[in-house]
Amino acid sequence: MYRTHNCGELRIQDVSKSVVLSGWIQRSRDLGGMTFIDLRDRYGITQLVFNMDANASLCNEARKLGREYVVQVEGTVTERSNKNPKMPTGDIEIIVEKLTVLNASLTPPFTIENETDGGEEIRMKYRYLDLRREPLKNNLLLRHRMAFEVRNYFNMNQFIEIETPVLIKSTPEGARDFVVPSRVNPGQFYALPQSPQTFKQLLMIAGYDRYVQIVKCFRDEDLRADRQPEFTQIDCEMSFVHQQDILDMFEGMVKHLFKTVKNIEFSEPFPRMTYDEAMEQYGTDKPDIRFGMPITEITSIAKGKGFGVIDSAAYTGGICVHGCSEYSRKQLDELTEYVKRPQIGAKGLLYVKYGTDGSLKSSVDKFYQPDELKKWADAIKAQPGDLLLIMAGEKISTLKALGELRLEMGNRLNLRPKDVFKPLWVLDFPLLEWDEEAKRYFAMHHPFTSPKTDDIELLDTQPGKVRANAYDMVINGTEVGGGSIRIHNEDLQKKMFSLLGFTDEEAQRQFGFLMHAFRYGAPPHGGIAFGFDRLVAIFAGEDSIRDVIAFPKNNAARDVMIDTPSEITAEQLKELSIKIDIR
Ligand code: ASP
């Protein structure tokens, strides 16, 4: 038997038991007469003791063991004289009687400690060593727990998990497809699913009215902190539902996760906000509502005083930063630089300092008297002691820039704590988005999303105004899930494809199977998919989803541990009828 117990379970009640433990050597301290070793496994750490007086040869053997050696020990549990209250096993230690080295280890390239000395690159290369560290281990345990509770919730609600294929035909979710050549069909390719969207809709047509799948999806996009080429969704679909039924069911899932995994209870329904409200008040469709500081429009009260920037702008608005009227020149310059960054792209930033003495000083004093500035302050609900930050320009880009500035101020003022969770629903997204470059509409969610019944008439006259039956769940400024009520009627689906610029033939070639299936009794249906990695990262308090994925890719979409993507042999290429032509 390799072990009678694991390294995290022995307690004071076990004193005087004979035990066998196996694990890795975390640390060894040689104090001359005594050698102490911390033995680690997934469950914890137990202290081993070797005593020179009691058994000199065993003690000498122990002194030779290096970090990360795998050993087995037999010994007796004893009470420690020097207890460590920080460790669950800190009351006891094992007086070792027999030691077996199960395997030696090279010296690891970085320390296996919570705060390691290893840089990102080296830790990715030796991911199996990085995964021995407590923070990553805890993240993977959390991930497991969450997946388990997700399945538990859906099982209780009559959902069934059904697997869908990985080698499919492209589904348009807005990203590029990864493709796989078919050897037996030369010149033809499968696509890896960006999501199982069309399959889950076909399952509804097949009558499986509550479907769920924890599933890998693949999108060939440029990487960011919260993106990976392959990622995991909790993919769901239901039949005979209105939007309200969907929101209730999936809000229920998120509440169940918070309750069972974090012991946080949300007794109230999650707030619901329309897309327009989110944009107007937070400058984004994924507002972080852990703090206030909403955006307020002051276009009409600010116009007409001879200040060109505002007079020529379609929109002027601002935020009120409480208690910051004493901001220095330097701090304000920093904020101006911040909003001028290319990612944000604002031309500049105006400010009004509303002093605690009631005075109003601004960067536009030449054009605006204090009584004018007071009107701004009142509109933005500022109090003496507050700082107003104002921007003017084209409406949407100004709102977005103000939204970024709001988040930055939230960071600076520590208003975004990681252990506070504020979920909400964002509803009524536009159905279509105009792309100036391509000169055509794109589906804001995806082409299978239904328009709101009230707006169907506008499809012919003002497609840009049509609202979708679509919803996103947002937590702390991150979109964690999104979905929609679907089109389930062939004619409407055809119309949607034509609005998106597909010819009838193209629509038929790509999605004929789905539109044809609509002719065989398609029930009304809708669904949602949650980004599982993001959800776990938020629960774990991590900024990057990489820290909650066992084997992630790096920023260049490479797995540096297994060294891929990599070339394939001439033989393989030939079999696939593929010639490489890198220019
Ligand atoms: N398939 C969609 C996505 O991956 C989610 C949905 O509409 O259910 O974003």
Side-chain angles (χ1 to χ4, degrees):
M1 201 194 318
Y2 277 114
R3 52 186 175 181
T4 55
H5 295 80
N6 64 49
C7 296
E9 75 176 299
L10 292 167
R11 299 287 183 274
I12 196 82
Q13 304 84 277
D14 298 304
V15 163
S16 78
K17 276 188 192 158
S18 292
V19 297
V20 185
L21 298 184
S22 292
W24 286 261
I25 295 190
Q26 170 85 13
R27 216 150 52 105
S28 142
R29 274 153 297 143
D30 185 353
L31 305 183
M34 304 263 251
T35 292
F36 293 98
I37 286 181
D38 285 348
L39 192 68
R40 183 195 70 236
D41 66 11
R42 192 193 119 183
Y43 305 92
I45 287 180
T46 298
Q47 176 162 295
L48 312 177
V49 195
F50 299 83
N51 192 326
M52 206 47 135
D53 293 339
N55 191 337
S57 70
L58 191 67
C59 195
N60 281 328
E61 251 182 82
R63 290 161 119 181
K64 284 187 237 141
L65 301 173
R67 278 198 285 144
E68 301 307 311
Y69 273 49
V70 187
V71 301
Q72 182 194 40
V73 294
E74 285 179 41
T76 309
V77 184
T78 35
E79 183 169 1
R80 276 208 220 178
S81 50
N82 208 349
K83 296 195 173 54
N84 181 349
K86 288 198 202 115
M87 287 171 71
T89 61
D91 287 349
I92 57 102
E93 58 196 4
I94 312 293
I95 308 286
V96 179
E97 286 130 28
K98 186 170 172 216
L99 166 73
T100 313
V101 175
L102 300 175
N103 214 339
S105 169
L106 294 175
T107 305
F110 49 86
T111 55
I112 313 293
E113 303 276 353
N114 290 4
E115 302 292 333
T116 176
D117 54 358
E120 173 93 15
E121 184 78 7
I122 193 93
R123 285 190 288 120
M124 292 279 267
K125 179 152 190 223
Y126 295 90
R127 187 71 172 175
Y128 45 91
L129 296 181
D130 206 16
L131 289 172
R132 287 183 188 167
R133 295 193 310 116
E134 183 112 346
L136 281 185
K137 180 191 78 187
N138 287 342
N139 288 350
L140 291 191
L141 292 178
L142 172 73
R143 186 180 176 112
H144 162 77
R145 182 86 203 285
M146 289 176 71
F148 177 81
E149 288 300 345
V150 164
R151 291 199 165 99
N152 202 5
Y153 177 82
F154 285 122
N155 186 52
M156 286 187 301
N157 283 288
Q158 274 84 45
F159 280 72
I160 46 178
E161 184 156 11
I162 304 177
E163 289 163 87
T164 50
V166 171
L167 298 176
I168 68 163
K169 194 172 170 133
S170 153
T171 44
E173 308 267 349
R176 226 173 266 122
D177 285 324
F178 280 103
V179 294
V180 181
S182 165
R183 179 183 55 82
V184 290
N185 301 281
Q188 295 191 323
F189 294 80
Y190 301 100
L192 301 183
Q194 294 189 32
S195 87
Q197 184 61 36
T198 48
F199 287 96
K200 65 176 173 175
Q201 291 193 240
L202 291 167
L203 284 169
M204 293 304 112
I205 297 173
Y208 296 89
D209 63 346
R210 291 183 170 205
Y211 145 94
V212 65
Q213 185 181 191
I214 298 187
V215 63
K216 273 286 169 83
C217 301
F218 306 86
R219 296 183 190 178
D220 187 0
E221 295 178 295
D222 296 332
L223 301 190
R224 287 197 242 125
D226 58 351
R227 292 246 167 100
Q228 282 277 309
E230 52 178 307
F231 61 96
T232 305
Q233 282 191 345
I234 308 169
D235 192 43
C236 317
E237 197 76 5
M238 296 173 82
S239 293
F240 305 115
V241 282
H242 295 293
Q243 176 165 301
Q244 187 61 40
D245 304 308
I246 299 252
L247 301 190
D248 290 346
M249 177 61 75
F250 297 103
E251 181 169 321
M253 179 204 84
V254 173
K255 284 180 170 167
H256 174 81
L257 281 179
F258 272 113
K259 176 77 194 115
T260 51
V261 178
K262 292 204 93 71
N263 201 20
I264 296 176
E265 193 121 27
F266 288 91
S267 45
E268 299 294 315
F270 293 171
R272 295 175 187 186
M273 196 183 282
T274 65
Y275 170 85
D276 287 343
E277 284 165 351
M279 289 306 294
E280 300 265 354
Q281 292 175 29
Y282 300 96
T284 169
D285 57 4
K286 28 182 182 292
D288 182 349
I289 56 167
R290 276 173 294 183
F291 66 108
M293 215 188 282
I295 299 168
T296 307
E297 178 170 8
I298 55 165
T299 313
S300 56
I301 52 175
K303 256 197 199 316
K305 306 287 176 228
F307 180 45
V309 172
I310 285 182
D311 286 353
S312 64
Y315 176 92
T316 303
I319 55 173
C320 169
V321 191
H322 286 301
C324 288
S325 65
E326 298 297 319
Y327 253 41
S328 67
R329 175 90 245 161
K330 184 164 166 271
Q331 284 171 305
L332 290 163
D333 286 348
E334 263 172 34
L335 291 178
T336 309
E337 285 315 308
Y338 177 81
V339 299
K340 282 182 169 171
R341 288 180 191 187
Q343 308 93 294
I344 300 180
K347 293 214 179 63
L349 180 65
L350 314 175
Y351 66 81
V352 181
K353 291 176 171 184
Y354 194 176
T356 41
D357 56 0
S359 65
L360 287 139
K361 288 202 195 68
S362 77
S363 52
V364 286
D365 279 348
K366 254 211 255 163
F367 302 96
Y368 297 92
Q369 298 302 314
D371 60 324
E372 293 294 338
L373 297 174
K374 179 75 169 47
K375 285 187 201 149
W376 297 15
D378 289 345
I380 304 181
K381 299 204 172 61
Q383 304 286 331
D386 293 349
L387 171 70
L388 303 183
L389 298 172
I390 313 284
M391 287 192 209
E394 186 274 323
K395 181 165 178 182
I396 295 296
S397 58
T398 306
L399 279 169
K400 285 186 180 167
L402 279 165
E404 293 290 343
L405 178 64
R406 174 182 171 271
L407 292 179
E408 173 64 14
M409 293 315 297
N411 288 338
R412 285 177 184 233
L413 300 173
N414 295 324
L415 300 174
R416 307 177 72 193
K418 286 198 165 140
D419 53 354
V420 171
F421 302 94
K422 293 283 182 190
L424 77 149
W425 289 104
V426 178
L427 310 173
D428 299 351
F429 282 80
L431 184 70
L432 302 164
E433 225 174 352
W434 179 255
D435 186 296
E436 206 33 63
E437 237 166 73
K439 294 266 179 271
R440 75 166 181 90
Y441 283 110
F442 279 86
M444 190 134 177
H445 187 50
H446 54 54
F448 315 107
T449 296
S450 72
K452 280 186 114 51
T453 322
D454 291 348
D455 294 359
I456 288 189
E457 280 177 9
L458 295 173
L459 277 175
D460 292 319
T461 51
Q462 291 177 286
K465 287 253 153 68
V466 177
R467 288 166 306 159
N469 240 325
Y471 31 78
D472 275 0
M473 186 186 282
V474 175
I475 303 180
N476 293 359
T478 299
E479 179 203 324
V480 295
S484 58
I485 298 293
R486 324 296 183 191
I487 296 169
H488 64 282
N489 156 304
E490 188 186 358
D491 292 336
L492 189 55
Q493 188 65 70
K494 272 193 182 151
K495 176 164 215 153
M496 185 69 182
F497 283 129
S498 92
L499 275 170
L500 296 174
F502 286 73
T503 62
D504 275 356
E505 295 74 55
E506 279 168 346
Q508 204 51 42
R509 188 163 40 80
Q510 282 195 52
F511 304 108
F513 64 96
L514 183 67
M515 289 194 287
H516 191 68
F518 283 162
R519 294 184 192 167
Y520 290 93
H525 60 285
I528 190 167
F530 288 89
F532 185 51
D533 312 284
R534 288 188 194 176
L535 208 51
V536 180
I538 289 176
F539 272 54
E542 298 285 6
D543 293 326
S544 166
I545 60 170
R546 258 189 240 167
D547 294 328
V548 299
I549 296 174
F551 298 106
K553 311 261 184 297
N554 74 4
N555 270 345
R558 297 198 69 83
D559 183 324
V560 290
M561 180 183 66
I562 59 171
D563 190 21
T564 203
S566 48
E567 279 143 21
I568 57 174
T569 63
E571 193 75 4
Q572 284 172 302
L573 285 171
K574 200 167 155 220
E575 263 183 349
L576 295 168
S577 321
I578 288 181
K579 275 211 178 78
I580 301 289
D581 177 16
I582 301 173
R583 284 163 220 242

